[in-house]
């Protein structure tokens, strides 16, 4: 028998996760399309919505924001973030680490060291997340990135081979959950072998069950064996498992494969239902109901939270979702929260306010050991070639960036801007908003007359990212390199992000031409790469060191 209507709706609401900004004020939201206003957010939390995913702001803002959200809610919340590359990837002031695929490449030559580093990576992420008020890290990515053209997984994966992805993802789980924070294996049953971004369209994975068992599933099995608390679904079609519905909405995938065959007993969460792979074909009520009936426990970012709740409530009242099935999900949520440790509360010294004590605690957010970890990962993953250094300018600093807007990779004092400028290289950004640099000639794709005169430092910040639609392989960078070499203008090359782009360009370079690669795109990675190209620290930089 279903519980009374008010109780039922509150129970269902506890299984929804909505999104908000890590900043405290409505006017500070970076993505208003997905981030709720405070009034609506508070109303939903007071009505029982049980989780929030956060993005943006400083570490201090995040801690205060999490306390605010908990104060608005009448129950313990699941507070999560996509911090696959350390908490500093999303929240300024915390550790921003090299992408996981850097360790996947190390695993091929030194697997034991890679696994130790992956566990430390997880501990760093978990400790800092908990200190700032989060109790759920939406990582590790367990996808095997065996398709170099993958536009959305790419360097987010822990490996492009099965052994690396399985060993390193499970090591991350052990480290993260050892700090009292839930981890989340994603995107089940595997999003690595696709050239379609599920934020934009529905990918189709044509592989049969034998291939899935050999390649896609082992990293998830390893994470489950390591005790991962949650698994996130993938918005993709697997005709071999379910010819009708995407994995997120598929009972054969979530209940048949994940629950029964793989024996996972923890929390199953959907990927964001607002993504176009789902939202273009299913309304918010239908998507929430189908996902829950398929085996999901937690509904992440429905396009309309109220509509999703309406759909779930109708499904229970009509008998399409049984009371027993609802209670099972509520119990899994309760067990997950019971695994979480609360943020440590620093006692205020005599005469100090609680706020002063909190700020003193946050001064120790990044420990010396975590600073050393970040530097070690950058140094281990750096690759370089050529013996010469960048010639003096005047010249052109040609930077390819996904978008200059809201770009944490390229603040005003980024080494990628300031160090070349000090050597006489003026910046020219190709960021999707600048005038097109392309000539239309496949053999000479750059319109060189638009760049200016002098040698060219080519810096490519290219990787797979949600919503971009490609991992850079659709742009003619090999032809650009050959064009600049042919006219004697390529002075040096720096690649940040995709190892596949670096692998494609490096063989084209003369032996003495200075070139370097880092999987990281953050300012610290730029400082290290440019130091290898002969560009030393600039006094105007924002504290970034080699």
């Amino acid at each position: 028998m279903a519980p009374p209507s008010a109780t039922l709706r509150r129970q269902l609401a506890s299984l929804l996760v909505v999104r908000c900004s890590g900043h405290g004020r409505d006017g500070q939201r970076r993505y208003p399309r997905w981030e709720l206003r405070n009034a609506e957010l508070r109303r939903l939390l007071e009505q029982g919505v049980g989780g929030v995913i956060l993005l943006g702001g400083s570490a201090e803002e995040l801690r205060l924001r999490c306390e605010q959200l908990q104060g608005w809610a009448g129950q313990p919340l699941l507070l999560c973030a996509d911090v696959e590359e350390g908490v500093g990837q999303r929240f300024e002031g915390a550790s921003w680490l090299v992408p996981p695929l850097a360790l996947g490449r190390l695993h091929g030559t030194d697997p034991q060291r890679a696994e130790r580093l992956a566990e430390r990576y997880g501990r760093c992420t978990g400790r800092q997340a908990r200190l700032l008020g989060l109790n759920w890290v939406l990582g590790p990515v367990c996808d095997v990135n065996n398709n170099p053209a993958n536009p959305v997984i790419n360097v987010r994966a822990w490996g492009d081979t099965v052994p690396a992805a399985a060993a390193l993802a499970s090591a991350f789980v052990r480290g993260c959950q050892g700090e009292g924070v839930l981890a989340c294996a994603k995107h089940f049953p595997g999003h690595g072998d696709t050239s379609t971004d599920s934020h934009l369209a529905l990918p189709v994975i044509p592989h049969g069950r034998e291939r899935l068992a050999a390649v896609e599933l082992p990293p998830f099995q390893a994470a489950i064996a390591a005790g991962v608390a949650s698994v996130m679904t993938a918005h993709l079609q697997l005709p071999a498992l379910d010819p009708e519905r995407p994995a997120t909405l598929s009972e054969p995938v979530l209940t048949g494969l994940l629950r029964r065959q793989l024996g996972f007993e923890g929390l199953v969460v959907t990927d964001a239902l607002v993504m176009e792979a789902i939202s273009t074909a299913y309304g918010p009520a239908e998507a929430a109901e189908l996902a829950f009936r398929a085996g999901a426990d937690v509904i992440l970012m429905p396009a309309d939270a109220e509509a999703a709740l309406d759909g779930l409530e109708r499904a229970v009242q009509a008998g399409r979702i049984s009371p027993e099935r609802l209670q099972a999900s509520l119990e899994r949520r309760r067990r997950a929260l019971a695994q979480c440790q609360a943020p440590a509360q620093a006692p205020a010294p005599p005469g100090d306010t609680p706020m002063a004590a909190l700020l003193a605690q946050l001064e120790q957010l990044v420990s010396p050991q975590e600073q050393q970890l970040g530097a070690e990962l950058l140094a281990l993953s750096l690759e370089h070639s050529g013996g010469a250094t960048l010639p003096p300018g005047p010249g052109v600093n040609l930077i390819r960036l996904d978008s200059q807007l809201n770009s944490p990779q390229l603040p005003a004092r980024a080494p990628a801007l300031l160090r070349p400028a000090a050597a006489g290289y003026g910046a020219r950004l190709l960021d999707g908003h600048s005038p097109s640099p392309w000539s239309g000639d496949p053999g000479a794709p750059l319109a060189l007359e638009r760049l200016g005169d002098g040698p060219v430092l080519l810096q490519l910040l290219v990787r797979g990212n949600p919503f971009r639609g490609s991992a850079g392989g659709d742009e003619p960078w090999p032809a650009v390199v050959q064009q600049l070499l042919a006219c004697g203008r390529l002075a040096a090359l720096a690649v940040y992000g995709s190892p596949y782009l670096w692998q494609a360009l490096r063989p084209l370079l003369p032996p003495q031409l200075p070139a370097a690669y880092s999987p990281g795109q953050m300012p610290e990675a730029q400082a290290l790469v440019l130091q290898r190209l002969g560009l030393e620290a600039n006094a105007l930089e924002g504290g970034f060191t080699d």
Side-chain angles (χ1 to χ4, degrees):
M1 182 176 178
S5 179
T7 301
L8 171 62
R9 193 169 181 88
R10 193 167 188 89
Q11 288 177 339
L12 291 167
S14 73
L15 300 173
L16 260 59
V17 175
V18 297
R19 177 163 157 177
C20 81
S21 171
H23 296 289
R25 299 185 182 278
D26 289 339
Q28 295 174 292
R29 294 175 300 157
R30 296 180 185 176
Y31 306 97
R33 177 182 171 189
W34 299 298
E35 294 167 354
L36 299 178
R37 289 184 176 274
N38 281 330
E40 183 179 2
L41 179 64
R42 182 169 187 169
R43 177 179 60 79
L44 288 171
L45 292 176
E46 289 174 346
Q47 291 176 359
V49 164
V52 181
I53 179 172
L54 297 103
L55 174 64
S58 68
E60 288 77 9
E61 286 178 296
L62 176 62
R63 175 63 183 262
L64 294 173
R65 185 66 152 161
C66 288
E67 291 186 2
Q68 179 186 53
L69 297 174
Q70 289 284 12
W72 287 346
Q75 62 176 331
L77 293 175
L78 289 166
L79 294 170
C80 61
D82 279 310
V83 286
E84 300 160 358
E85 299 168 26
V87 177
Q89 179 192 13
R90 304 296 188 194
F91 305 99
E92 298 170 14
S95 293
W96 187 0
L97 304 174
V98 298
L101 193 58
L103 284 172
R105 292 164 66 80
L106 176 64
H107 189 269
T109 58
D110 194 343
Q112 291 184 339
R113 185 177 190 183
E115 289 171 35
R116 289 195 299 270
L117 287 167
E119 186 163 346
R120 290 172 61 195
Y121 195 123
R123 286 197 171 275
C124 172
T125 304
R127 189 191 76 84
Q128 293 183 13
R130 182 166 63 88
L131 182 60
L132 297 179
L134 301 174
N135 55 16
W136 193 11
V137 166
L138 298 183
V141 171
C142 287
D143 308 312
V144 181
N145 194 75
N146 52 10
N147 185 340
N150 193 315
V152 65
I153 302 302
N154 200 259
V155 294
R156 300 166 61 200
W158 283 92
D160 49 20
T161 66
V162 174
L168 300 179
S170 55
F172 177 93
V173 168
R174 291 192 297 271
C176 181
Q177 295 192 169
E179 294 293 332
V181 172
L182 308 175
C184 182
K186 61 187 190 184
H187 308 81
F188 185 83
H191 204 312
D193 194 6
T194 174
S195 56
T196 301
D197 181 358
S198 53
H199 293 80
L200 303 173
L202 180 65
V204 177
I205 304 293
H207 305 309
R209 290 177 179 268
E210 289 186 4
R211 154 60 193 255
L212 293 171
V215 176
E216 276 73 22
L217 297 182
F220 292 95
Q221 292 171 295
I224 291 169
V228 72
S230 62
V231 170
M232 179 181 285
T233 70
H235 298 334
L236 45 82
Q237 191 94 38
L238 296 107
L241 300 180
D242 189 336
E244 296 182 7
R245 289 178 178 158
T248 292
L249 312 181
S250 170
E251 185 173 357
V253 173
L254 300 189
T255 298
L257 178 57
L258 181 56
R259 291 281 189 215
R260 294 179 186 151
Q261 185 175 329
L262 301 188
F264 180 64
E265 298 178 353
L267 205 61
V268 175
V269 57
T270 70
D271 204 346
L273 293 186
V274 75
M275 291 163 58
E276 292 183 30
I278 298 295
S279 62
T280 56
Y282 302 90
E286 183 185 19
E289 177 186 340
L290 289 175
F292 197 85
R293 288 168 55 190
D297 301 300
V298 172
I299 306 301
L300 176 65
M301 284 181 64
D304 183 322
E306 292 284 5
L309 276 174
D310 290 342
L312 290 170
E313 189 173 14
R314 287 194 299 267
V316 174
Q317 291 170 339
R320 295 190 298 273
I321 295 174
S322 70
E324 294 76 18
R325 170 71 181 82
L326 172 58
Q327 290 304 314
S329 289
L330 293 171
E331 175 60 18
R332 291 189 191 103
R333 179 183 184 275
R334 186 199 65 77
R335 289 202 310 261
L337 281 166
Q339 296 179 49
C340 301
Q341 296 179 23
Q345 299 290 333
D352 265 1
T353 64
M355 178 60 72
L358 173 60
L359 292 175
Q361 184 184 24
L362 293 182
E363 287 179 4
Q364 309 302 316
L365 173 62
V366 181
S367 71
Q369 294 81 7
E370 290 163 349
Q371 288 180 326
Q372 188 274 332
L373 171 65
E376 183 177 355
L377 291 172
L378 280 170
L380 279 172
S381 57
L382 180 76
E383 299 181 32
H384 63 95
S385 62
T389 59
L390 185 74
V396 178
N397 176 20
L398 184 59
I399 302 176
R400 172 66 173 100
L401 186 69
D402 283 346
S403 174
Q404 190 182 5
L405 302 176
N406 289 330
S407 173
Q409 295 92 339
L410 207 68
R413 294 182 295 171
L417 294 172
L418 293 186
R419 293 194 186 187
Y425 283 72
R428 171 77 159 83
L429 294 180
L430 312 179
D431 62 357
H433 299 280
S434 305
S436 171
W438 308 120
S439 68
D441 180 353
L446 271 185
L448 294 179
E449 69 277 3
R450 302 178 195 166
L451 293 183
D453 298 326
V456 175
L457 165 62
L458 182 60
Q459 299 194 75
L460 302 177
L461 285 83
V462 173
R463 54 171 281 177
N465 273 315
F467 295 103
R468 184 178 175 206
S470 84
D474 58 334
E475 296 175 342
W477 296 115
V480 167
V481 166
Q482 291 173 323
Q483 177 187 10
L484 291 172
L485 287 171
C487 64
R489 292 192 61 185
L490 185 62
L493 172 68
V495 177
Y496 310 94
S498 171
Y500 310 111
L501 181 61
W502 170 246
Q503 290 165 2
L505 298 181
R506 187 173 183 176
L508 305 177
L509 305 177
Q512 291 305 308
L513 189 132
Y517 162 75
S518 175
Q521 295 184 332
M522 67 287 281
E524 291 80 2
Q526 298 164 24
L528 190 60
V529 163
L530 293 171
Q531 188 271 335
R532 290 301 175 98
L533 301 183
L535 294 175
E536 300 299 332
N538 187 298
L540 297 177
E541 288 177 24
F544 309 117
T545 58
D546 298 334

